[in-house]
Amino acid sequence: MQEIELKFLVPESRLKGLMRQARVKSSEVTQLAAHYYDTPDQQLAEAGIGLRIRKEGDAWVQTIKAGGDGIAARLEHNAVLDNEQVQAMFDNNTLMPDLTIYKNTSVAPALAEFKLKKLAKNLTRLYVTDVERTTRLLVDDSGNDGDANNHVEMAYDYGEIIHGNDDTQRDAIQEIEFELVSGDIDFLFATAKTWCKRYKLCLSTVTKAERGGLLITEQQHSPAVHADLDQLNIDKKISMPAFVRAAVHNCLLQILPNSSAIVAGSEEDDHALQLYIGIVRLQAALQAFASYSDEINPDWLPILKQTAMLLNEYRELAHLASHIEPNLQQQGAPTVDWTTDIDALKITPKDAVSANDFQLTLLELIAFTMSDPSLEPQADQLAIDKLAKTLSKQQAKLGKALQRLQSKKDVGSDNINIESNDLKDDDLQSVDLDDSDLENVDSKSDDIENIDLDDNNAEHELHEQLTTLLYISELATPLLDKKKSKKKKAKKESKRWLKYLAKAQKTLNKYHNHKMYQQRYQLKSKTDSIALYGAGWFAAMLVRDLKRTEKRLAKVADSSVFR
């Protein structure tokens, strides 16, 4: 059986109002005590599997969850156990799951990589949950024919996760879930949106099993999730509407885990960075593939852009304070305090991600990926037939942006002017602090003023076009390679092209990042003269960065497999 549910964290300020709606006369309150099992090294968790035995009222139920789409749908198998046998094992502290019940079931493929007898011997109880669950059945009362069959179960959970071997280690649970019981999936999303608007709920992809795993490993949050193109599910015969849904889904697999960590309180730089990259990838896909589907909402892009901008503005300063400044100090630079600059922003990544318009947009995007592409007018058109043309157009846009900057240089600008306030990638995580560069930099270097800043619009356009081309090429190339499956040379050209794009974006991002840091130190020096050291150091870095950027942009300009 496939379980389709949406989970949200509940802000404390909205809890009382939410509980008034949850605890109505028709609602039920159940005490749930669940025991979660895995191997000591969490092999099941690594495979995306959760295994538990839970007392639900007077019954004991063994449940396994696995697979699914990584967002809202998962495979689930429930088996009601013999109460007397389970109680006897529980009393003797020998309660263990029975894995033999999964033979010839829908979850059997998820366990195929395990030898069940060996797995059963290695299982141990890692953690337990003690939860009070309030459930309420929500029925579609809009009056349309067939609506009476639309049922969603709302479940509010309040309790805690407890370490299996140390009951002093606990973590609080306070979340609400909406699960489709029967009917149209649109009713699930309409219901979730209504509650999300009213109570400012925030989507969470963190399962209780994942939280239990974090508890026993003494971690607050799971590591940041990076883009994973191996999870892009496409084939040669995929239609245009289905392809764009697959592309959006792939972006959401990066966005949702990182946004979930941030709304849960993570202040880790990598969560904010990977969320930012995921949003930029999604923007690129929605813009480039807008003509592939009639169901893309134009209102999504402004909200995504605003959220990305707020994330980026905060993390630029946070990264400067937590990474750049300590590294410069190791090289002998005086200390520059960025605390007041960060506080002046007022909006944190958690504020930006928790914003109701962003959360509602995420809900609509999830609904889009789960909608039926065969109902669209272009369902009979193959994506593979249009992708090359789409990429060729984007390549042409990049070429024009490069030509405009080159013409600026030819008429008197000393340097190609490359800047953007938008895009970063993993390169933000490190700063090259070369001792030889520092030795040659005077903190009052005249090079500070050498970077030409007279055409920010053209620079922004170049950065945007390059990044869009890279991200949509990454999404499209696996499908185009299927078309060229018999042409090994063509496939090699595609890989080489992506390599050129990735290197060009990396150097362009580094140039922009260093330029942005140089400008921040320069501006800071007006009120704190010791910031001139940082300004001078980054000015020297820009000279080197510019040469690398020009070289790699030239390779991109001279090559394309889509022309």
Side-chain angles (χ1 to χ4, degrees):
M1 180 181 75
Q2 188 179 56
E3 169 193 62
I4 301 177
E5 69 175 21
L6 298 164
K7 180 183 294 188
F8 299 85
L9 300 184
V10 183
E12 199 68 40
S13 61
R14 299 283 174 156
L15 184 56
K16 287 184 179 179
L18 182 142
M19 291 309 299
R20 283 195 295 271
Q21 285 296 315
R23 289 180 174 168
V24 296
K25 287 183 180 180
S26 61
S27 64
E28 296 181 1
V29 178
T30 309
Q31 204 67 31
L32 302 176
H35 304 255
Y36 285 79
Y37 297 85
D38 203 337
T39 62
D41 56 352
Q42 298 192 64
Q43 291 178 25
L44 290 178
E46 250 184 58
I49 298 171
L51 178 63
R52 73 175 182 231
I53 297 176
R54 185 168 74 182
K55 189 172 186 181
E56 303 178 3
D58 295 327
W60 286 92
V61 180
Q62 180 175 311
T63 298
I64 189 168
K65 295 186 179 186
D69 70 349
I71 296 177
R74 295 193 79 191
L75 290 175
E76 178 179 347
H77 183 280
N78 296 298
V80 179
L81 306 178
D82 183 281
N83 272 14
E84 289 186 8
Q85 290 182 3
V86 173
Q87 193 61 51
M89 287 190 290
F90 184 75
D91 292 341
N92 294 323
N93 199 29
T94 58
L95 182 62
M96 292 295 288
D98 178 7
L99 299 183
T100 62
I101 64 178
Y102 299 123
K103 291 181 179 179
N104 303 318
T105 67
S106 60
V107 297
L111 292 167
E113 65 178 276
F114 298 99
K115 294 181 179 178
L116 294 189
K117 288 185 179 180
K118 182 178 180 182
L119 177 62
K121 290 180 181 179
N122 291 328
L123 288 178
T124 184
R125 189 186 71 169
L126 294 184
Y127 47 90
V128 299
T129 61
D130 184 11
V131 169
E132 181 186 82
R133 168 166 288 184
T134 302
T135 58
R136 175 185 170 189
L137 191 64
L138 305 171
V139 182
D140 191 352
D141 58 2
S142 62
N144 297 322
D145 291 341
D147 287 345
N149 295 320
N150 292 333
H151 295 84
V152 166
E153 183 183 73
M154 179 281 300
Y156 171 71
D157 288 347
Y158 179 80
E160 56 188 355
I161 300 174
I162 308 164
H163 196 294
N165 299 316
D166 181 1
D167 62 9
T168 64
Q169 295 187 47
R170 298 171 178 237
D171 189 22
I173 297 173
Q174 185 172 294
E175 59 193 28
I176 187 168
E177 299 174 359
F178 299 91
E179 181 177 353
L180 183 65
V181 177
S182 63
D184 194 336
I185 195 172
D186 288 344
F187 180 59
L188 171 66
F189 284 98
T191 302
K193 284 179 68 176
T194 299
W195 285 66
C196 186
K197 284 179 184 177
R198 187 176 299 164
Y199 302 110
K200 311 302 179 189
L201 306 178
C202 294
L203 277 159
S204 176
T205 58
V206 184
T207 64
K208 290 182 180 68
E210 184 179 343
R211 293 184 63 181
L214 292 171
L215 178 67
I216 63 176
T217 55
E218 299 183 347
Q219 294 176 280
Q220 291 295 314
H221 309 282
S222 296
V225 174
H226 295 234
D228 184 359
L229 291 164
D230 289 338
Q231 296 188 58
L232 183 62
N233 188 20
I234 54 177
D235 58 52
K236 287 193 293 186
K237 295 183 179 180
I238 192 169
S239 69
M240 287 165 50
F243 172 78
V244 73
R245 282 167 173 77
V248 170
H249 180 266
N250 189 260
C251 295
L252 288 176
L253 289 177
Q254 181 179 15
I255 291 170
L256 289 168
N258 293 305
S259 66
S260 297
I262 290 172
V263 297
S266 171
E267 296 180 351
E268 294 179 22
D269 185 70
D270 204 26
H271 282 127
L273 175 62
Q274 294 307 319
L275 173 58
Y276 175 83
I277 294 171
I279 293 175
V280 174
R281 290 179 66 231
L282 178 56
Q283 286 179 266
L286 291 174
Q287 287 174 322
F289 306 134
S291 64
Y292 288 35
S293 169
D294 293 349
E295 299 298 320
I296 292 176
N297 187 343
D299 293 336
W300 294 339
L301 278 171
I303 294 169
L304 293 171
K305 185 175 182 180
Q306 172 73 6
T307 306
M309 183 191 73
L310 293 172
L311 278 172
N312 194 44
E313 190 174 14
Y314 185 91
R315 69 161 315 281
E316 273 185 356
L317 280 171
H319 187 78
L320 189 63
S322 63
H323 291 75
I324 304 299
E325 184 61 26
N327 284 337
L328 284 176
Q329 288 172 31
Q330 287 181 6
Q331 305 299 325
T335 302
V336 178
D337 186 4
W338 295 96
T339 305
T340 55
D341 302 77
I342 294 173
D343 292 342
L345 291 177
K346 296 182 180 178
I347 296 179
T348 66
K350 185 176 181 178
D351 297 328
V353 177
S354 300
N356 206 223
D357 57 355
F358 180 65
Q359 290 295 320
L360 290 170
T361 297
L362 290 181
L363 266 177
E364 290 182 9
L365 286 160
I366 296 171
F368 171 70
T369 65
M370 299 185 75
S371 62
D372 188 350
S374 68
L375 300 178
E376 291 213 41
Q378 302 182 81
D380 60 342
Q381 298 183 38
L382 298 181
I384 202 167
D385 293 336
K386 192 175 180 181
L387 278 174
K389 187 175 181 180
T390 300
L391 293 169
S392 181
K393 285 183 178 179
Q394 187 59 40
Q395 166 73 5
K397 289 180 182 178
L398 176 63
K400 288 179 181 178
L402 283 166
Q403 288 174 6
R404 278 192 284 273
L405 283 178
Q406 187 62 44
S407 65
K408 293 284 182 183
K409 180 181 179 182
D410 292 342
V411 297
S413 176
D414 291 333
N415 297 314
I416 290 182
N417 193 9
I418 303 164
E419 182 183 40
S420 167
N421 291 322
D422 276 340
L423 301 175
K424 304 274 187 297
D425 68 2
D426 297 281
D427 197 50
L428 281 171
Q429 294 300 337
S430 62
V431 175
D432 295 327
L433 292 178
D434 188 323
D435 289 345
S436 61
D437 282 333
L438 281 169
E439 289 171 2
N440 295 324
V441 175
D442 181 352
S443 65
K444 297 182 180 179
S445 171
D446 292 335
D447 287 338
I448 291 172
E449 301 300 327
N450 283 351
I451 303 302
D452 184 15
L453 299 173
D454 65 351
D455 194 357
N456 290 339
N457 288 336
E459 294 168 1
H460 173 83
E461 182 188 2
L462 172 64
H463 207 169
E464 187 178 76
Q465 301 300 348
L466 176 62
T467 301
T468 297
L469 184 58
L470 172 62
Y471 289 150
I472 67 173
S473 296
E474 288 178 337
L475 292 166
T477 298
L479 186 55
L480 292 175
D481 281 348
K482 293 178 188 294
K483 188 175 183 179
K484 304 170 182 175
S485 59
K486 295 181 180 180
K487 300 178 182 178
K488 292 183 179 180
K489 183 179 179 181
K491 291 184 72 172
K492 287 182 179 179
E493 288 176 353
S494 296
K495 289 182 179 179
R496 190 182 304 116
W497 164 243
L498 282 176
K499 186 178 179 181
Y500 286 159
L501 278 179
K503 285 187 174 182
Q505 192 215 28
K506 184 175 181 179
T507 54
L508 184 55
N509 282 341
K510 177 174 282 191
Y511 180 86
H512 162 69
N513 297 338
H514 288 176
K515 191 173 186 180
M516 179 271 295
Y517 296 137
Q518 189 272 330
Q519 291 172 332
R520 287 199 181 275
Y521 274 104
Q522 182 70 17
L523 182 62
K524 188 80 168 175
S525 70
K526 293 180 179 179
T527 56
D528 186 356
S529 61
I530 62 175
L532 282 170
Y533 187 100
W537 188 85
F538 279 109
M541 294 292 288
L542 287 170
V543 175
R544 183 196 67 179
D545 294 341
L546 183 62
K547 292 179 180 178
R548 292 179 179 176
T549 302
E550 288 178 324
K551 183 178 179 180
R552 288 183 174 174
L553 283 173
K555 277 195 172 183
V556 171
D558 292 340
S559 63
S560 173
V561 294
F562 305 118
R563 281 194 280 211

